[in-house]
Amino acid sequence: MKRKRYGKDRSGERKAAALGMPIGTASNRLRKSILFQLVQKLELDFCFHCKQQIILIEDFSIEHKEPWQLSENPIGLFFDLNNIGF
């Protein structure tokens, strides 16, 4: 959602002060927590490399199963949800 800006915006500073961290950092942590919880509920919380269950959020990451950068279709492979593992 875009908001009109009137003068200097201090809301980012207020949010950072309230959260004790930049709003971008807090938002990324929240997104990761939401995604991890959904992955757990769907029982998709297994490492695609070693097949072990991912227990700790610190061990949770989104990975491409097949490298996309040097592929014939990097954009397609990057956004292909079937090429995503945890």
Side-chain angles (χ1 to χ4, degrees):
M1 173 170 74
K2 279 192 157 185
R3 295 184 183 184
K4 292 182 182 179
R5 293 185 182 241
Y6 300 100
K8 192 170 182 177
D9 181 20
R10 298 208 186 276
S11 67
E13 293 172 12
R14 285 193 305 271
K15 291 172 185 175
L19 295 169
M21 67 185 78
I23 187 65
T25 301
S27 295
N28 286 333
R29 285 186 188 179
L30 178 59
R31 278 188 207 95
K32 185 175 180 177
S33 294
I34 292 167
L35 183 59
F36 187 54
Q37 184 179 52
L38 291 172
V39 166
Q40 288 176 314
K41 285 184 179 187
L42 293 170
E43 298 180 356
L44 298 173
D45 54 339
F46 291 86
C47 174
F48 82 95
H49 286 294
C50 69
K51 311 300 183 221
Q52 295 292 314
Q53 188 172 19
I54 303 167
I55 305 297
L56 302 173
I57 194 168
E58 294 82 12
D59 296 330
F60 178 72
S61 64
I62 299 171
E63 306 292 334
H64 288 92
K65 296 175 184 176
E66 184 180 331
W68 58 270
Q69 288 180 315
L70 299 177
S71 72
E72 290 183 20
N73 182 7
I75 295 171
L77 200 54
F78 183 87
F79 289 106
D80 181 358
L81 296 181
N82 292 315
N83 190 38
I84 297 298
F86 307 108

mmCIF file of all heavy atoms in Angstrom, residues 37-61:
data_model
loop_
_atom_site.group_PDB
_atom_site.id
_atom_site.type_symbol
_atom_site.label_atom_id
_atom_site.label_comp_id
_atom_site.label_asym_id
_atom_site.label_seq_id
_atom_site.Cartn_x
_atom_site.Cartn_y
_atom_site.Cartn_z
ATOM 1 N N GLN A 37 5.723 -21.315 10.191
ATOM 2 C CA GLN A 37 4.548 -21.904 10.830
ATOM 3 C C GLN A 37 3.642 -22.583 9.790
ATOM 4 O O GLN A 37 3.144 -23.686 10.020
ATOM 5 C CB GLN A 37 3.761 -20.845 11.591
ATOM 6 C CG GLN A 37 2.582 -21.421 12.357
ATOM 7 C CD GLN A 37 1.823 -20.364 13.115
ATOM 8 O OE1 GLN A 37 1.430 -19.347 12.530
ATOM 9 N NE2 GLN A 37 1.631 -20.580 14.397
ATOM 10 N N LEU A 38 3.447 -21.951 8.656
ATOM 11 C CA LEU A 38 2.630 -22.558 7.601
ATOM 12 C C LEU A 38 3.279 -23.818 7.042
ATOM 13 O O LEU A 38 2.604 -24.822 6.793
ATOM 14 C CB LEU A 38 2.377 -21.545 6.484
ATOM 15 C CG LEU A 38 1.465 -20.382 6.843
ATOM 16 C CD1 LEU A 38 1.442 -19.352 5.717
ATOM 17 C CD2 LEU A 38 0.057 -20.876 7.148
ATOM 18 N N VAL A 39 4.584 -23.771 6.843
ATOM 19 C CA VAL A 39 5.318 -24.942 6.354
ATOM 20 C C VAL A 39 5.183 -26.097 7.348
ATOM 21 O O VAL A 39 4.976 -27.250 6.951
ATOM 22 C CB VAL A 39 6.801 -24.578 6.085
ATOM 23 C CG1 VAL A 39 7.661 -25.808 5.920
ATOM 24 C CG2 VAL A 39 6.906 -23.684 4.864
ATOM 25 N N GLN A 40 5.269 -25.805 8.642
ATOM 26 C CA GLN A 40 5.092 -26.838 9.660
ATOM 27 C C GLN A 40 3.679 -27.412 9.624
ATOM 28 O O GLN A 40 3.499 -28.630 9.676
ATOM 29 C CB GLN A 40 5.378 -26.278 11.052
ATOM 30 C CG GLN A 40 6.842 -26.014 11.308
ATOM 31 C CD GLN A 40 7.077 -25.371 12.662
ATOM 32 O OE1 GLN A 40 6.381 -24.425 13.050
ATOM 33 N NE2 GLN A 40 8.068 -25.871 13.382
ATOM 34 N N LYS A 41 2.668 -26.557 9.533
ATOM 35 C CA LYS A 41 1.283 -27.025 9.501
ATOM 36 C C LYS A 41 1.000 -27.908 8.296
ATOM 37 O O LYS A 41 0.210 -28.845 8.372
ATOM 38 C CB LYS A 41 0.314 -25.842 9.522
ATOM 39 C CG LYS A 41 0.194 -25.196 10.880
ATOM 40 C CD LYS A 41 -0.841 -24.090 10.890
ATOM 41 C CE LYS A 41 -0.931 -23.509 12.283
ATOM 42 N NZ LYS A 41 -2.024 -22.551 12.404
ATOM 43 N N LEU A 42 1.648 -27.609 7.182
ATOM 44 C CA LEU A 42 1.474 -28.401 5.971
ATOM 45 C C LEU A 42 2.399 -29.624 5.928
ATOM 46 O O LEU A 42 2.390 -30.372 4.961
ATOM 47 C CB LEU A 42 1.719 -27.529 4.732
ATOM 48 C CG LEU A 42 0.689 -26.432 4.506
ATOM 49 C CD1 LEU A 42 1.141 -25.481 3.405
ATOM 50 C CD2 LEU A 42 -0.662 -27.043 4.168
ATOM 51 N N GLU A 43 3.190 -29.770 6.980
ATOM 52 C CA GLU A 43 4.146 -30.878 7.102
ATOM 53 C C GLU A 43 5.128 -30.918 5.927
ATOM 54 O O GLU A 43 5.481 -31.975 5.413
ATOM 55 C CB GLU A 43 3.408 -32.205 7.263
ATOM 56 C CG GLU A 43 2.555 -32.240 8.530
ATOM 57 C CD GLU A 43 1.802 -33.546 8.739
ATOM 58 O OE1 GLU A 43 1.869 -34.437 7.864
ATOM 59 O OE2 GLU A 43 1.156 -33.659 9.793
ATOM 60 N N LEU A 44 5.570 -29.732 5.535
ATOM 61 C CA LEU A 44 6.587 -29.593 4.498
ATOM 62 C C LEU A 44 7.934 -29.199 5.096
ATOM 63 O O LEU A 44 8.846 -28.806 4.374
ATOM 64 C CB LEU A 44 6.158 -28.527 3.479
ATOM 65 C CG LEU A 44 4.888 -28.813 2.699
ATOM 66 C CD1 LEU A 44 4.491 -27.604 1.868
ATOM 67 C CD2 LEU A 44 5.058 -30.041 1.830
ATOM 68 N N ASP A 45 8.047 -29.325 6.402
ATOM 69 C CA ASP A 45 9.220 -28.843 7.137
ATOM 70 C C ASP A 45 10.353 -29.875 7.180
ATOM 71 O O ASP A 45 10.851 -30.234 8.229
ATOM 72 C CB ASP A 45 8.837 -28.397 8.544
ATOM 73 C CG ASP A 45 8.088 -29.453 9.335
ATOM 74 O OD1 ASP A 45 7.520 -30.371 8.722
ATOM 75 O OD2 ASP A 45 8.053 -29.353 10.573
ATOM 76 N N PHE A 46 10.755 -30.308 6.001
ATOM 77 C CA PHE A 46 11.852 -31.262 5.871
ATOM 78 C C PHE A 46 12.889 -30.706 4.919
ATOM 79 O O PHE A 46 12.550 -30.155 3.862
ATOM 80 C CB PHE A 46 11.340 -32.620 5.371
ATOM 81 C CG PHE A 46 10.506 -33.327 6.404
ATOM 82 C CD1 PHE A 46 9.152 -33.078 6.516
ATOM 83 C CD2 PHE A 46 11.094 -34.210 7.294
ATOM 84 C CE1 PHE A 46 8.377 -33.704 7.485
ATOM 85 C CE2 PHE A 46 10.329 -34.837 8.273
ATOM 86 C CZ PHE A 46 8.971 -34.581 8.360
ATOM 87 N N CYS A 47 14.134 -30.854 5.276
ATOM 88 C CA CYS A 47 15.247 -30.390 4.447
ATOM 89 C C CYS A 47 15.263 -31.176 3.142
ATOM 90 O O CYS A 47 15.253 -32.408 3.155
ATOM 91 C CB CYS A 47 16.553 -30.571 5.204
ATOM 92 S SG CYS A 47 18.020 -30.189 4.226
ATOM 93 N N PHE A 48 15.288 -30.465 2.025
ATOM 94 C CA PHE A 48 15.285 -31.173 0.748
ATOM 95 C C PHE A 48 16.627 -31.838 0.463
ATOM 96 O O PHE A 48 16.703 -32.740 -0.365
ATOM 97 C CB PHE A 48 14.848 -30.252 -0.405
ATOM 98 C CG PHE A 48 15.919 -29.369 -0.976
ATOM 99 C CD1 PHE A 48 16.635 -29.754 -2.098
ATOM 100 C CD2 PHE A 48 16.211 -28.147 -0.413
ATOM 101 C CE1 PHE A 48 17.604 -28.943 -2.643
ATOM 102 C CE2 PHE A 48 17.163 -27.318 -0.935
ATOM 103 C CZ PHE A 48 17.871 -27.719 -2.055
ATOM 104 N N HIS A 49 17.681 -31.466 1.179
ATOM 105 C CA HIS A 49 18.986 -32.116 1.022
ATOM 106 C C HIS A 49 19.061 -33.416 1.821
ATOM 107 O O HIS A 49 19.300 -34.480 1.257
ATOM 108 C CB HIS A 49 20.133 -31.202 1.491
ATOM 109 C CG HIS A 49 20.443 -30.088 0.579
ATOM 110 N ND1 HIS A 49 20.948 -30.245 -0.686
ATOM 111 C CD2 HIS A 49 20.315 -28.749 0.753
ATOM 112 C CE1 HIS A 49 21.122 -29.079 -1.250
ATOM 113 N NE2 HIS A 49 20.738 -28.145 -0.398
ATOM 114 N N CYS A 50 18.854 -33.316 3.136
ATOM 115 C CA CYS A 50 19.079 -34.465 4.027
ATOM 116 C C CYS A 50 17.791 -35.157 4.468
ATOM 117 O O CYS A 50 17.845 -36.195 5.122
ATOM 118 C CB CYS A 50 19.872 -34.035 5.258
ATOM 119 S SG CYS A 50 18.942 -32.964 6.392
ATOM 120 N N LYS A 51 16.639 -34.568 4.137
ATOM 121 C CA LYS A 51 15.322 -35.151 4.449
ATOM 122 C C LYS A 51 14.994 -35.153 5.946
ATOM 123 O O LYS A 51 14.005 -35.732 6.349
ATOM 124 C CB LYS A 51 15.168 -36.564 3.884
ATOM 125 C CG LYS A 51 15.557 -36.719 2.428
ATOM 126 C CD LYS A 51 14.740 -35.842 1.528
ATOM 127 C CE LYS A 51 15.117 -36.099 0.070
ATOM 128 N NZ LYS A 51 15.194 -34.923 -0.731
ATOM 129 N N GLN A 52 15.804 -34.494 6.776
ATOM 130 C CA GLN A 52 15.529 -34.399 8.205
ATOM 131 C C GLN A 52 14.523 -33.277 8.462
ATOM 132 O O GLN A 52 14.489 -32.285 7.735
ATOM 133 C CB GLN A 52 16.821 -34.109 8.989
ATOM 134 C CG GLN A 52 17.849 -35.219 8.926
ATOM 135 C CD GLN A 52 17.391 -36.460 9.655
ATOM 136 O OE1 GLN A 52 16.898 -36.377 10.771
ATOM 137 N NE2 GLN A 52 17.541 -37.609 9.015
ATOM 138 N N GLN A 53 13.726 -33.442 9.504
ATOM 139 C CA GLN A 53 12.754 -32.412 9.848
ATOM 140 C C GLN A 53 13.464 -31.162 10.348
ATOM 141 O O GLN A 53 14.428 -31.234 11.108
ATOM 142 C CB GLN A 53 11.789 -32.919 10.911
ATOM 143 C CG GLN A 53 10.644 -31.955 11.161
ATOM 144 C CD GLN A 53 9.582 -32.528 12.073
ATOM 145 O OE1 GLN A 53 9.827 -33.484 12.801
ATOM 146 N NE2 GLN A 53 8.402 -31.943 12.027
ATOM 147 N N ILE A 54 12.992 -30.012 9.918
ATOM 148 C CA ILE A 54 13.530 -28.732 10.356
ATOM 149 C C ILE A 54 12.779 -28.346 11.626
ATOM 150 O O ILE A 54 11.574 -28.104 11.596
ATOM 151 C CB ILE A 54 13.361 -27.648 9.274
ATOM 152 C CG1 ILE A 54 14.026 -28.103 7.975
ATOM 153 C CG2 ILE A 54 13.936 -26.316 9.756
ATOM 154 C CD1 ILE A 54 13.656 -27.260 6.767
ATOM 155 N N ILE A 55 13.484 -28.318 12.733
ATOM 156 C CA ILE A 55 12.874 -28.065 14.036
ATOM 157 C C ILE A 55 12.978 -26.595 14.428
ATOM 158 O O ILE A 55 12.025 -26.008 14.929
ATOM 159 C CB ILE A 55 13.536 -28.939 15.128
ATOM 160 C CG1 ILE A 55 13.481 -30.428 14.746
ATOM 161 C CG2 ILE A 55 12.918 -28.675 16.494
ATOM 162 C CD1 ILE A 55 12.085 -30.998 14.639
ATOM 163 N N LEU A 56 14.136 -26.011 14.203
ATOM 164 C CA LEU A 56 14.407 -24.639 14.641
ATOM 165 C C LEU A 56 14.248 -23.656 13.490
ATOM 166 O O LEU A 56 14.723 -23.913 12.376
ATOM 167 C CB LEU A 56 15.820 -24.522 15.201
ATOM 168 C CG LEU A 56 16.168 -25.433 16.369
ATOM 169 C CD1 LEU A 56 17.646 -25.326 16.705
ATOM 170 C CD2 LEU A 56 15.305 -25.092 17.571
ATOM 171 N N ILE A 57 13.628 -22.540 13.766
ATOM 172 C CA ILE A 57 13.452 -21.517 12.738
ATOM 173 C C ILE A 57 14.812 -21.010 12.239
ATOM 174 O O ILE A 57 14.938 -20.602 11.090
ATOM 175 C CB ILE A 57 12.554 -20.367 13.225
ATOM 176 C CG1 ILE A 57 12.109 -19.516 12.038
ATOM 177 C CG2 ILE A 57 13.250 -19.558 14.310
ATOM 178 C CD1 ILE A 57 11.006 -18.541 12.357
ATOM 179 N N GLU A 58 15.822 -21.061 13.081
ATOM 180 C CA GLU A 58 17.169 -20.632 12.671
ATOM 181 C C GLU A 58 17.736 -21.515 11.566
ATOM 182 O O GLU A 58 18.616 -21.090 10.824
ATOM 183 C CB GLU A 58 18.127 -20.631 13.873
ATOM 184 C CG GLU A 58 17.793 -19.615 14.934
ATOM 185 C CD GLU A 58 16.699 -20.052 15.907
ATOM 186 O OE1 GLU A 58 16.328 -21.242 15.923
ATOM 187 O OE2 GLU A 58 16.204 -19.185 16.640
ATOM 188 N N ASP A 59 17.236 -22.742 11.451
ATOM 189 C CA ASP A 59 17.695 -23.667 10.416
ATOM 190 C C ASP A 59 16.829 -23.609 9.159
ATOM 191 O O ASP A 59 17.098 -24.298 8.186
ATOM 192 C CB ASP A 59 17.699 -25.103 10.948
ATOM 193 C CG ASP A 59 18.672 -25.291 12.092
ATOM 194 O OD1 ASP A 59 19.700 -24.576 12.117
ATOM 195 O OD2 ASP A 59 18.403 -26.126 12.968
ATOM 196 N N PHE A 60 15.784 -22.804 9.183
ATOM 197 C CA PHE A 60 14.833 -22.714 8.081
ATOM 198 C C PHE A 60 15.280 -21.670 7.075
ATOM 199 O O PHE A 60 15.579 -20.532 7.422
ATOM 200 C CB PHE A 60 13.453 -22.352 8.642
ATOM 201 C CG PHE A 60 12.388 -22.182 7.595
ATOM 202 C CD1 PHE A 60 11.891 -23.286 6.925
ATOM 203 C CD2 PHE A 60 11.892 -20.935 7.294
ATOM 204 C CE1 PHE A 60 10.906 -23.133 5.967
ATOM 205 C CE2 PHE A 60 10.899 -20.772 6.340
ATOM 206 C CZ PHE A 60 10.411 -21.877 5.680
ATOM 207 N N SER A 61 15.339 -22.052 5.825
ATOM 208 C CA SER A 61 15.644 -21.109 4.750
ATOM 209 C C SER A 61 14.961 -21.600 3.474
ATOM 210 O O SER A 61 14.602 -22.772 3.356
ATOM 211 C CB SER A 61 17.153 -20.975 4.525
ATOM 212 O OG SER A 61 17.696 -22.202 4.093
#
